[in-house]
Structure formats: structure tokens, C-alpha cells
Amino acid sequence: MAEVATATSASGTPEKSRRQRPAEFNVFVGLILIALVFEVLGWIFQGQSFLFNFQRLSIMVLQVSIVGIIAVGVTQVIITGGIDLSSGSLVGATAMIAMSFAQVSTYERAVFPMLTDLPVIVPVVVGLICGLAAGLVNGALIAYTRIPPFIATLGMMVTARGFSKWYTKGQPISFPTEGFASIGAGMNPVLIFIVVAALFTLILRFTVYGRRTYAIGSNEQAARVSGINVEHHLMLVYAIAGGLAALAGIVLAARGLTAQAGAGVMYELDAIAMAVIGGTSLSGGRGSIIGTTLGMLIFGVIISGFTFLRLDAYYQEMIKGAIIVIAVVLDVYRQRMRGRA
């Protein structure tokens, strides 16, 4: 284990590169430059500032914070050399499940009439358990059947989406208790993201869990030789990703005061894009939650900037797709440059 732990630093970079500037620095510079571009375009085309508008910035951060919670889990999966395509569907499924246990008794068509007005901890725990269980299934399939993570999580994606539609025959679930609704009130989603991001930043950087996560992504065979139980660790990583997807589903349902089967569509791709834009390598072994947070902010600035410039929503979707492709191309380029170095 010592050999693997010293092979990579806590941020997944070689020891000899510690004297160099952090990988997140370039991402931060990119964020500043993109924000300044929209600031200039704002004055040219709209006659007003893009950056110096607190309400706009608050909405921007709120829009990406829920996907950011997913991205924290997805980042850890990608660091191990895997991928998780099921997180968006898990958002929809767990939102439906949690909301069904959070309804008020005054609503005549409650999903479970005998289980209404429950303490807020009940729907939260039920939702998290479902997300953790789905993540464990993903991890077990990948670790023990050796099928590619793409296929395992794709299967979970389809299954979870189908479950969320079957759960209430496609009908939305609404009328939550005040306690549950307070989870998504105001800036609470942003605060929840900050807590989650800070927690896993510390975990990845200073714990055995973090060292093993980077070790598996850097060289799985070497990790095995050093004594790491790769199968158990992969199950843990995917379970955490599933749990964070469930947390995002709970926050999304609480914020919208309703849960729908179609919630979370494409969230998994946005989360992957945030991680890759933030410097997480799709080949595994490199990445950080700080970088993913910066990637999330870049994503938010771009989406908010296009809305500010009144760019048609259809163009925005096409540009988001291009951003994902560009992020992957940049990751491949980074890997080639490191290989030559």
C-alpha cells in the first residue's frame, strides 16, 4: 500500500509535480476568462453587466448546485477509472420514492395514506438507502462480473427510469410536508453542495479511502498487489455515488415541491462534463472535487451567460453537447502531454 500511496499525491498527481502549480489553476483561469467574455458581451449586446448582478449569480449557482452534488460522486467514480450513467435516472427514482413518504395527510390522493405527515428524516433516509442500494448493485456488477462500467450503469439507468415511471404510473407526486420542503428552500441546495464538496475534498485528500481510490484508478493491478481489496472499494465508491444521486433527487424534489418520473434527465452527462472540465481524467487516477467545483461553475457561467444573451434554448443544448466533446478532447490531449513528459 505504501508504494501505491507514494506513487500519487492526494490530488492524483505525481510527487515530482507538487512544486508545479495545481492542476485546478488552469481551470480557475478558464472560469475567469469565460466570465469576463460574457461581461464584455453583456455590455455590448444588452447594455448591462453580467457579473455584477447578485440575483443572476444566485440563480446561476442554484441551477448547477444540484447537479454539482451528483458530480461529486461521479468524480470519485471516474477517478477509479469507471463511469456512472445511472445518476440522472437515480435522481428521478429517489425523488419519487422520497416524496411518497413526505406527503401531508390533508392530500386525499397520497401514495401511502397511512404513511403521511412523517418526520422529515424518514423520507430522507428512505431515499438515501434506495440510492445507496442502487449504487451497490452497480459496484457489485462491475467488481464481480467484470462487465464494463458503461454497460452496468447503462442498465441501471434504464431500470431506474422505468421504475420511476412505474412507481405511480407516470403521475407526479406533490404536497410535501413543510419540513421536507425546507430542504430545498432558498439557498439551501447551495449550502448542501458546499458541505458535500468540502467533506469529500477532505476525504479524498487525507484518508485511506482517498488514497485507495486514486491508486485503483492509476493502476488497478498494482493496487491489488499492495493489498487493496479492489472489489470492496469499487462497491463503496459506486454506493457513495448512488447515495449522492439520491441526495440530489431529494433536494430537487424539495425545491420543486413535486417529484416527477422525468426528473434528472441528462444530469449524468452534465455531471460527467463538470468533472472532466474540472480536470478529472477519464482514464482514471487524476481529479479533485475542487476541480469539479470549478468545472460546475464554468458550466453554470456558460449556461447563464447564454440565457443572459437570450440565445435560443435549442442552441444552448447543442453548445452543451459541444462542451462535453471539447472537454473529452482536452482530457485526451492532457494525457498525451503527460505521457510525453
Side-chain angles (χ1 to χ4, degrees), residues 72 192-202 289-290 293:
V72 172
I192 292 172
F193 166 77
I194 292 173
V195 171
V196 169
L199 175 63
F200 281 99
T201 295
L202 296 175
I289 303 301
I290 294 176
T293 301

Side-chain angles (χ1 to χ4, degrees), residues 178-233:
E178 291 185 5
F180 186 81
S182 66
I183 295 174
M187 297 297 288
N188 284 349
V190 178
L191 296 177
I192 292 172
F193 166 77
I194 292 173
V195 171
V196 169
L199 175 63
F200 281 99
T201 295
L202 296 175
I203 289 174
L204 284 178
R205 181 162 296 188
F206 299 112
T207 68
V208 173
Y209 168 86
R211 291 194 293 272
R212 290 179 177 178
T213 300
Y214 284 109
I216 292 172
S218 298
N219 190 322
E220 182 177 323
Q221 187 58 38
R224 290 182 187 277
V225 172
S226 67
I228 297 175
N229 190 324
V230 173
E231 287 75 19
H232 286 183
H233 193 80

Side-chain angles (χ1 to χ4, degrees), residues 27-282:
V27 183
F28 178 72
V29 171
L31 172 62
I32 298 299
L33 291 176
I34 292 171
L36 290 177
V37 168
F38 280 114
E39 177 69 11
V40 172
L41 293 177
W43 284 110
I44 294 175
F45 295 105
Q46 300 297 329
Q48 57 180 300
S49 172
F50 170 71
L51 291 175
F52 298 98
N53 185 312
F54 179 77
Q55 183 178 9
R56 181 181 298 113
L57 295 180
S58 298
I59 294 173
M60 179 196 76
V61 176
L62 276 170
Q63 285 178 330
V64 296
S65 61
I66 295 177
V67 182
I69 295 172
I70 303 172
V72 172
V74 169
T75 298
Q76 297 171 68
V77 169
I78 297 177
I79 289 173
T80 66
I83 200 74
D84 188 357
L85 299 179
S86 65
S87 54
S89 295
L90 289 180
V91 167
T94 53
M96 298 284 282
I97 294 170
M99 183 65 84
S100 66
F101 286 91
Q103 291 181 291
V104 294
S105 57
T106 54
Y107 182 51
E108 298 178 352
R109 294 183 293 173
V111 177
F112 302 115
M114 301 300 294
L115 297 173
T116 54
D117 290 331
L118 296 173
V120 66
I121 190 66
V122 174
V124 171
V125 169
V126 170
L128 290 177
I129 288 175
C130 291
L132 289 168
L136 278 174
V137 172
N138 282 337
L141 288 173
I142 293 164
Y144 291 105
T145 69
R146 310 303 296 172
I147 63 176
F150 178 90
I151 299 300
T153 57
L154 178 63
M156 180 59 72
M157 178 185 77
V158 177
T159 301
R161 188 64 67 189
F163 172 85
S164 60
K165 294 177 180 178
W166 165 85
Y167 193 64
T168 58
K169 302 299 185 289
Q171 298 300 313
I173 307 175
S174 305
F175 297 94
T177 61
E178 291 185 5
F180 186 81
S182 66
I183 295 174
M187 297 297 288
N188 284 349
V190 178
L191 296 177
I192 292 172
F193 166 77
I194 292 173
V195 171
V196 169
L199 175 63
F200 281 99
T201 295
L202 296 175
I203 289 174
L204 284 178
R205 181 162 296 188
F206 299 112
T207 68
V208 173
Y209 168 86
R211 291 194 293 272
R212 290 179 177 178
T213 300
Y214 284 109
I216 292 172
S218 298
N219 190 322
E220 182 177 323
Q221 187 58 38
R224 290 182 187 277
V225 172
S226 67
I228 297 175
N229 190 324
V230 173
E231 287 75 19
H232 286 183
H233 193 80
L234 286 177
M235 289 180 64
L236 178 59
V237 171
Y238 279 91
I240 290 173
L244 290 176
L247 177 60
I250 292 168
V251 175
L252 179 64
R255 178 165 180 76
L257 303 180
T258 186
Q260 301 185 25
V265 173
M266 299 295 288
Y267 278 16
E268 63 277 353
L269 296 184
D270 289 350
I272 293 170
M274 290 175 182
V276 176
I277 289 171
T280 302
S281 173
L282 287 172

